[in-house]
Amino acid sequence: MKKIMIIFAGMLFFSPRFASAQAILDKMDRATDKADRAGHTADRTKSTGEKILGFFGKKKDGTATEKTTVKIAGVNFSTLKAINDKLQSAKGVQSTKMKFKASGSSIVLEHSGSTSDILKSLQKAAPDVFAEKNIDGMDDGEISVKVN
């Protein structure tokens, strides 16, 4: 009987301690679950944000876009406008931006390929302007033309 009393006394004495230890472990589990849910929510939010921003971003078609400035000397506004119209239809040109000055005008091209590749396309689109005798210089991202 003494043994049973000692066991019950021990259970009464240690059971609150076990209960408080279990309560601490339960609190830790709940805090871990909250952190996991917050992490999953953040991941879903990031995924949704990327999808939404994907609608507004640039379309990636696998080709890199380059910029080349074509500096043209010796042209008036109407000639520059006609050259710009021809360049917009050249192969590889995605967009043009024209700037006119009496001392020297320029057209900024956004295109695929290198500067030398785009020059070949420009020579086909406007052979009278981009003839070899009119080319003053060529460097990466810049072509200088002097029209007589």
Side-chain angles (χ1 to χ4, degrees), residues 18-74:
F18 286 128
S20 69
Q22 185 63 39
I24 291 172
L25 291 174
D26 288 342
K27 285 182 183 180
M28 289 174 51
D29 280 343
R30 284 191 298 268
T32 304
D33 287 341
K34 270 186 175 179
D36 284 343
R37 283 193 304 262
H40 290 300
T41 301
D43 288 342
R44 286 193 309 259
T45 303
K46 178 185 173 218
S47 172
T48 303
E50 287 174 349
K51 287 178 185 176
I52 290 171
L53 289 177
F55 291 128
F56 300 110
K58 282 188 174 180
K59 292 183 180 179
K60 296 179 182 172
D61 57 357
T63 60
T65 302
E66 300 290 328
K67 284 191 177 183
T68 298
T69 303
V70 179
K71 295 182 178 181
I72 304 172

Side-chain angles (χ1 to χ4, degrees), residues 10 12 30 39 56 63 75 90 96 103 113-114 117 133 140 144-146:
L12 286 174
R30 284 191 298 268
F56 300 110
T63 60
V75 293
T96 64
S103 59
S114 67
D117 293 338
K133 65 180 182 176
D140 285 339
S144 297
V145 178
K146 186 173 184 179

Side-chain angles (χ1 to χ4, degrees), residues 105-126:
S105 303
S106 65
I107 300 174
V108 178
L109 305 172
E110 283 192 32
H111 60 89
S112 58
S114 67
T115 302
S116 59
D117 293 338
I118 201 64
L119 179 60
K120 290 175 187 174
S121 294
L122 298 178
Q123 286 175 331
K124 290 177 183 174

